Amino acid sequence: MKTKVTIKGLVLKVASRCNLNCEYCYMYNLGDKTYKSQPKFMSQEIVENLLTKVKIYLIQSGSTSFQFIFHGGEPLLVEPDFYQSFVRKAKQILPSFTKIDYVVQTNGVLLSSVWCKILGELGIRIGISLDGLTEQDNRHRLDHQQRSSLNATLEGLVNAQSSKHLKYLPGILSVINLESNPTELYAHYKKLRVRHINFLLPDGTHDNLPKNFKPERTDYADWLIELFDIWFDDLDKDKPQIILFNQILNLILGGGGEYETFGGSKNLFLIIETNGDIEPQDSLKACGEGFTKTNLNIRTHTLEDSFQQPLIKNCIESHQKLCGQCKNCLVVEVCRGGFITHRYSKNRGFNNPSIYCRDLEKLLTYVSSKVEVLVNTKM
Ligand code: SF4
Ligand code: SF4
């Protein structure tokens, strides 16, 4: 029998610790300290358990594609043979009808050319977290001794870009820093030949707002609109793809798409902690101590068991279950309440608009009108 929920993949917390201590990190600095009781690294026993449960899920669902995202903490704190063994076991255990995609999301500090060779030979794609190319852009990404991570990350990026073993250039994941200048940032990324960038809004909830965030203003929308204009009007065929904008444009043009921030699709990733705990969206750690704990573990539960767990169910259906304000919103078909973590409050759970509501409304209205002008001009 086919399962009713189709998940795209698992985010594997292969390391629960990190060599950096970014100010906005939901793993360590937004109110949840449960990482301290987690094993530092995922064991082979957990790997075997999770691959067996993925096998059961794939056979029951018939899914022809599945993604493993190696995450942390910092996933390159794990020894390389962890990855070699993981991919070898996955080939042995998982059904051959499923195409497996592997991604590692790293801060890049340890990304040597040797790591690039190992990851490339295993077919693991690389995403690098970086907030820009200046010290100012990266001022929230310091190590535990308050030292800058910028040069080490840039070295990692260059290693990955120049590695002949990697089939795909690394993508960049940036948390928006309002102190950065979007025009300069875009020019820097272009100069560095970055091909894919995603921008994230800093995490927070209605009770735990991001530092210096002012919900009554639209600073993030203004920042993103400046970036959107430069990017949208850039006719260079090799310009970087900005995933956030591609997703918004796709939704505005009626293309559907399965995104966790916007749109009406279900959220389709589960988290596996280093001890095998099955959890929902990891940024929900910003909702408070132990918030993401579900009492489910990959040793004793299947992936299907987790689909009915209330918090995981909320996550999966976050773009379907909207508050009254969202239901009546002019941009609801694209926004769908935004990212689940940003909707949480202790009093009302997820029955809220996003803390970034004003920003989202302004940004989405702006992009829609720009697309409309373009479509009308071409008709
Ligand atoms: S690199 Fe990632 S996991 Fe490490 S502290 Fe920064 S945001 Fe957190
Ligand atoms: S813009 Fe605000 S009200 Fe509209 S759907 Fe998004 S979060 Fe809800």
Side-chain angles (χ1 to χ4, degrees):
M1 197 174 76
K2 301 226 170 189
T3 48
K4 291 203 182 100
V5 176
T6 309
I7 58 165
K8 274 194 189 168
L10 298 178
V11 176
L12 304 178
K13 299 285 180 178
V14 297
S16 64
R17 305 298 200 271
C18 190
N19 47 352
L20 297 187
N21 188 24
C22 304
E23 191 180 289
Y24 48 64
C25 180
Y26 56 75
M27 285 289 293
Y28 309 116
N29 294 326
L30 294 188
D32 181 293
K33 297 289 177 197
T34 53
Y35 73 89
K36 289 184 178 173
S37 56
Q38 282 290 330
K40 287 186 177 159
F41 303 114
M42 185 176 277
S43 67
Q44 287 304 317
E45 185 242 323
I46 296 295
V47 169
E48 280 155 26
N49 268 287
L50 77 87
L51 287 173
T52 304
K53 299 299 165 52
V54 172
K55 174 185 174 184
I56 294 169
Y57 167 74
L58 291 174
I59 289 171
Q60 288 185 346
S61 67
S63 291
T64 52
S65 63
F66 198 84
Q67 190 175 53
F68 291 106
I69 302 178
F70 300 109
H71 213 271
E74 171 48 42
L76 298 191
L77 291 175
V78 171
E79 293 296 321
D81 63 1
F82 173 90
Y83 295 96
Q84 289 158 333
S85 164
F86 190 102
V87 173
R88 191 175 58 246
K89 283 179 183 160
K91 279 185 186 146
Q92 287 163 0
I93 295 174
L94 301 182
S96 56
F97 60 76
T98 306
K99 184 176 178 309
I100 306 295
D101 182 38
Y102 301 100
V103 184
V104 66
Q105 184 62 43
T106 168
N107 59 39
V109 167
L110 301 172
L111 191 58
S112 62
S113 44
V114 175
W115 261 117
C116 293
K117 179 171 187 286
I118 293 164
L119 296 171
E121 286 173 350
L122 293 170
I124 301 177
R125 294 188 288 121
I126 298 176
I128 297 178
S129 310
L130 174 70
D131 292 350
L133 304 185
T134 68
E135 294 292 355
Q136 172 74 3
D137 294 339
N138 281 273
R139 62 196 292 261
H140 304 300
R141 298 185 62 79
L142 304 179
D143 71 9
H144 292 274
Q145 281 77 44
Q146 299 290 304
R147 292 174 305 201
S148 164
S149 60
L150 178 63
N151 286 341
T153 301
L154 287 180
E155 203 174 306
L157 174 61
V158 172
N159 286 337
Q161 286 179 321
S162 56
S163 173
K164 64 178 190 303
H165 302 282
L166 290 167
K167 201 166 157 198
Y168 301 100
L169 285 169
I172 296 290
L173 190 61
S174 285
V175 175
I176 298 169
N177 175 356
L178 292 177
E179 291 145 335
S180 302
N181 177 314
T183 306
E184 288 172 10
L185 189 64
Y186 185 68
H188 285 163
Y189 278 139
K190 272 193 84 171
K191 204 166 157 197
L192 211 67
R193 297 182 302 114
V194 171
R195 302 304 302 273
H196 293 90
I197 315 166
N198 206 358
F199 286 96
L200 303 178
L201 293 160
D203 283 316
T205 70
H206 286 273
D207 313 307
N208 186 14
L209 291 171
K211 198 173 170 191
N212 298 327
F213 173 57
K214 299 187 177 58
E216 70 285 2
R217 293 174 54 99
T218 56
D219 296 335
Y220 284 94
D222 298 338
W223 193 96
L224 282 164
I225 286 170
E226 181 178 334
L227 182 68
F228 178 79
D229 276 340
I230 306 159
W231 175 79
F232 193 73
D233 297 337
D234 182 355
L235 299 179
D236 180 354
K237 67 176 176 32
D238 291 327
K239 73 179 180 182
Q241 293 305 307
I242 298 184
I243 314 292
L244 179 77
F245 296 151
N246 283 342
Q247 292 179 351
I248 292 173
L249 288 170
N250 192 32
L251 289 166
I252 288 173
L253 294 168
E258 294 175 344
Y259 314 126
E260 78 187 353
T261 308
F262 298 114
S265 75
K266 296 193 169 177
N267 279 323
L268 305 165
F269 279 91
L270 292 171
I271 312 294
I272 308 295
E273 284 284 355
T274 52
N275 68 350
D277 282 351
I278 307 173
E279 297 194 1
Q281 174 57 247
D282 45 356
S283 66
L284 287 170
K285 290 179 190 297
C287 300
E289 176 73 8
F291 189 86
T292 56
K293 296 295 160 205
T294 60
N295 291 322
L296 300 171
N297 189 282
I298 202 73
R299 287 192 182 100
T300 44
H301 297 84
T302 63
L303 298 181
E304 286 86 344
D305 290 337
S306 72
F307 299 157
Q308 293 311 317
Q309 197 278 339
L311 186 57
I312 290 178
K313 203 161 180 275
N314 257 319
C315 268
I316 291 172
E317 296 172 353
S318 76
H319 293 302
Q320 276 82 46
K321 289 185 179 168
L322 300 178
C323 71
Q325 186 177 329
C326 291
K327 281 181 195 156
N328 293 312
C329 171
L330 286 175
V331 295
V332 65
E333 285 315 317
V334 177
C335 181
R336 305 295 299 183
F339 188 45
I340 184 167
T341 303
H342 305 161
R343 281 164 48 183
Y344 180 76
S345 71
K346 284 197 180 79
N347 285 342
R348 294 169 53 91
F350 299 104
N351 191 21
N352 297 301
S354 167
I355 55 171
Y356 290 106
C357 180
R358 282 171 184 250
D359 292 289
L360 295 173
E361 193 175 6
K362 185 170 182 179
L363 173 69
L364 298 176
T365 306
Y366 181 84
V367 175
S368 297
S369 58
K370 191 140 177 168
V371 170
E372 207 173 297
V373 169
L374 189 75
V375 170
N376 289 339
T377 320
K378 294 208 163 171
M379 279 173 65

